[in-house]
Amino acid sequence: MRPHRLRFHLVDKDGSWSARQRQRRAEWLIRTFPRLSEMHVIDLGGRLGTWTRATVRPARVHVVNLERPTAEVPDWAEVDQADACDLPARIAKRRYDLVFSNSVLEHVGGHERRLRFAEAVHTLGERHWVQTPYRYFPIEPHWIAPGMQFLPVRLRTAVARRWPLGHKATRTHDAAIHQVLWTELLDRSQMRHYFPQSRILVERVGGLPKSLIAVRTTIPRQRA
């Protein structure tokens, strides 16, 4: 089987191993927020397709991504091109029932920008669900490469150029190092630092932690 077909069957295909993992995570989200269908949700760094395929869709979804929005947006959704770490005032001043983010925090670009991302999460709503892959899972999830995240940048760049199961084709050194430097997996201490008042849930595969999810489900009581 050709490498790109193997990746498709492992990760991208409906019914693939990763697709089943995503479905289980979606079901976990629904159990955690049983009123999701009534909520106004902002998705930081996500894509509209996540919600068009969802078995339970929020009443309103606002997707914010660096990519240009698609031409067709359904009436229950809103799509903006913006940086979640530096939101324009027209978005930052709004409030939502739930702030959602899936596999984005590891790509925002370093500690300072992760702090700004977390600040946006806390500002936009009282409830949140922020997922990111766990650094110490033995398989690097973007390239499906064992232990790649523990290598020096030079070797990670070489793997990114040549490893056949990567999420994007990288034919040049510049393209490969760009992807490597913009992918920084997190551990539990970091997640607790960015989300100190949240529960840190652990998604496991084969008993091993695969991803971390910072969750807040209730609105804190106001002091008298």
Side-chain angles (χ1 to χ4, degrees), residues 159-218:
V159 171
R161 278 192 75 179
R162 297 172 176 83
W163 189 251
L165 301 179
H167 59 310
K168 291 182 181 179
T170 50
R171 301 184 186 280
T172 67
H173 174 84
D174 286 347
I177 197 169
H178 175 82
Q179 286 192 27
V180 163
L181 293 178
W182 279 95
T183 304
E184 186 176 358
L185 303 184
L186 281 69
D187 64 17
R188 299 189 207 202
S189 295
Q190 289 169 294
M191 285 293 278
R192 291 192 186 102
H193 178 71
Y194 298 130
F195 302 97
Q197 297 183 27
S198 307
R199 285 188 298 150
I200 306 299
L201 306 182
V202 180
E203 182 182 30
R204 295 179 182 272
V205 171
L208 298 175
K210 180 182 180 292
S211 70
L212 306 173
I213 310 170
V215 175
R216 177 181 280 178
T217 57
T218 59

Side-chain angles (χ1 to χ4, degrees), residues 69-133:
T70 56
E72 297 183 7
V73 178
D75 57 6
W76 49 265
E78 180 180 357
V79 180
D80 268 302
Q81 183 180 20
D83 183 350
C85 301
D86 188 19
L87 291 170
R90 60 185 173 81
I91 299 176
K93 69 181 180 181
R94 295 168 64 173
R95 298 296 176 265
Y96 300 83
D97 299 318
L98 175 65
V99 184
F100 176 91
S101 180
N102 189 75
S103 295
V104 173
L105 188 59
E106 72 272 20
H107 295 300
V108 299
H111 171 63
E112 191 271 339
R113 281 178 56 82
R114 287 193 292 269
L115 285 172
R116 289 160 59 184
F117 185 94
E119 182 180 3
V121 169
H122 292 122
T123 300
L124 290 166
E126 297 289 352
R127 303 177 184 89
H128 56 251
W129 170 284
V130 179
Q131 181 271 351
T132 191

